[in-house]
Amino acid sequence: MVSKLMVTADILCCLVMAVYVRTRYSRSIMERLEASRTHKEFRLLGIELRTEYAAIKRFKTPLQRFLMPPCEPELKRLEEGQFPGTLTSIRQVYALLSIGQVIVLVLGNGMRSTFLLYCAAMLFAAMVIMLIIFIYTDRTTLPGRKIPRKKAKKQSRWKYNEKQKRPYTAQEKQVIRTAWFLRYGFAFPALILLSGSGVSKTAVIIASLLCIADGVLTEWHFQKRTHAFYCMMQDIMHHTLTPFVHSPGFEKRAEKEGKWLGKIFLILGFSMLLCGIYSAISTFI
């Protein structure tokens, strides 16, 4: 029979898929409404929808509201053929299907019925297929959001300047390599040394020395305000790397957010070094 962990995972999957279909459905309708209106018209439309929903909540019973098609006020404002009926059909049955699948799985597991478990598996497969159809239909029918048949080859952000649409020069590549070394050159080896099970005292001491070296080097570049420091901060912030071109606003932000990087590595490195030395000395006492 199915374990409790698998039942819990199945319930979570069904919940996530049902919530995704529900939220994506309403968002897709609003994106279609927004595509055919100006910003002011769309803002006024939002006021109209809130007023209509308030009237529905006031004058209709909970049962009437439950039986209403999902997002009916928004659908009435779309032109015919602007929103695929497939999405509405899936949206209407998906929540009930997910609840039914969970019930069948729980009953089948409790009663130790192979037939019910098989039915639960078939229902889950149907949910996955419907979700794929929902996502594909939504993406291919949204205005201006067609699925590209062939994606353009993405240039390496370490070799190509995306802002100026050109490869980096040799001097720029040197700055980028220094920035890469500042960010990863010491941290990755230290992390590898400390990631194994049963870390030895020697590994801790070596990792601490790497952290100290990283802290000293980073602090030096910060104090000198080198291009490598600003380039490293661009990489940390996921900006396009522009080794010799930095706006005053970016420099101020980089200095504010990066002033503690070297100090943190120094504190971490010396702390680890003291622990490693103390552990090594204690074995001989």
Side-chain angles (χ1 to χ4, degrees), residues 55-68:
I56 290 172
K57 188 175 181 180
R58 182 178 180 183
F59 296 109
K60 289 193 176 184
T61 64
L63 180 60
Q64 290 175 325
R65 294 199 299 268
F66 178 77
L67 296 176
M68 283 177 59

Side-chain angles (χ1 to χ4, degrees), residues 24-70:
R24 183 62 237 175
Y25 178 81
S26 57
R27 190 182 305 169
S28 180
I29 293 176
M30 296 307 294
E31 288 178 1
R32 287 171 167 81
L33 289 171
E34 186 178 10
S36 58
R37 289 168 173 79
T38 64
H39 180 71
K40 182 178 180 180
E41 290 173 343
F42 186 70
R43 189 171 66 251
L44 294 175
L45 175 63
I47 298 174
E48 291 178 12
L49 290 172
R50 286 193 292 271
T51 305
E52 187 168 346
Y53 272 112
I56 290 172
K57 188 175 181 180
R58 182 178 180 183
F59 296 109
K60 289 193 176 184
T61 64
L63 180 60
Q64 290 175 325
R65 294 199 299 268
F66 178 77
L67 296 176
M68 283 177 59

Side-chain angles (χ1 to χ4, degrees), residues 3-248:
S3 64
K4 291 183 179 179
L5 181 61
M6 293 184 65
V7 173
T8 304
D10 178 87
I11 294 173
L12 290 175
C13 287
C14 289
L15 178 63
V16 169
M17 290 191 294
V19 170
Y20 174 82
V21 169
R22 182 184 181 90
T23 54
R24 183 62 237 175
Y25 178 81
S26 57
R27 190 182 305 169
S28 180
I29 293 176
M30 296 307 294
E31 288 178 1
R32 287 171 167 81
L33 289 171
E34 186 178 10
S36 58
R37 289 168 173 79
T38 64
H39 180 71
K40 182 178 180 180
E41 290 173 343
F42 186 70
R43 189 171 66 251
L44 294 175
L45 175 63
I47 298 174
E48 291 178 12
L49 290 172
R50 286 193 292 271
T51 305
E52 187 168 346
Y53 272 112
I56 290 172
K57 188 175 181 180
R58 182 178 180 183
F59 296 109
K60 289 193 176 184
T61 64
L63 180 60
Q64 290 175 325
R65 294 199 299 268
F66 178 77
L67 296 176
M68 283 177 59
C71 300
E72 185 181 25
E74 291 90 341
L75 284 174
K76 290 190 300 185
R77 289 167 171 80
L78 287 172
E79 298 178 4
E80 186 177 355
Q82 193 175 357
F83 190 75
T86 305
L87 301 182
T88 304
S89 301
I90 294 176
R91 165 67 178 82
Q92 288 177 320
V93 304
Y94 208 82
L96 296 176
L97 184 63
S98 62
I99 294 172
Q101 194 273 340
V102 171
I103 292 174
V104 171
L105 177 64
V106 172
L107 288 177
N109 193 46
M111 299 169 60
R112 299 183 177 273
S113 172
T114 306
F115 175 74
L116 289 178
L117 292 176
Y118 176 78
C119 292
M122 295 298 293
L123 288 173
F124 189 82
M127 289 180 62
V128 173
I129 293 171
M130 290 173 66
L131 181 62
I132 294 172
I133 294 172
F134 182 91
I135 295 173
Y136 179 81
T137 306
D138 178 50
R139 290 188 63 191
T140 53
T141 56
L142 273 176
R145 286 185 60 187
K146 304 292 184 182
I147 298 178
R149 292 187 177 181
K150 186 177 180 180
K151 293 184 178 179
K153 185 178 179 181
K154 188 175 181 181
Q155 299 285 350
S156 171
R157 62 193 304 265
W158 298 100
K159 299 180 181 179
Y160 191 79
N161 190 326
E162 296 176 356
K163 280 191 174 180
Q164 299 180 4
K165 307 298 181 184
R166 62 170 178 81
Y168 289 113
T169 63
Q171 293 82 2
E172 289 174 332
K173 288 181 180 178
Q174 181 61 40
V175 173
I176 290 173
R177 283 193 289 267
T178 306
W180 182 88
F181 186 77
L182 274 177
R183 187 177 182 189
Y184 303 108
F186 292 107
F188 269 14
L191 183 62
I192 292 172
L193 285 171
L194 298 174
S195 61
S197 59
V199 180
S200 64
K201 304 177 186 67
T202 305
V204 173
I205 293 175
I206 295 174
S208 67
L209 294 176
L210 289 172
C211 287
I212 292 171
D214 195 357
V216 170
L217 191 61
T218 304
E219 186 66 20
W220 184 87
H221 279 273
F222 169 72
Q223 295 296 335
K224 297 295 183 180
R225 304 297 196 269
T226 62
H227 293 297
F229 169 76
Y230 292 120
C231 195
M232 178 190 69
M233 294 306 298
Q234 283 181 324
D235 186 47
I236 292 174
M237 299 176 187
H238 302 288
H239 292 180
T240 300
L241 305 181
T242 54
F244 297 108
V245 181
H246 315 294
S247 65

Side-chain angles (χ1 to χ4, degrees), residues 268-280:
L268 180 63
F270 280 113
S271 301
M272 290 169 54
L273 182 61
L274 290 174
C275 292
I277 294 174
Y278 176 78
S279 179

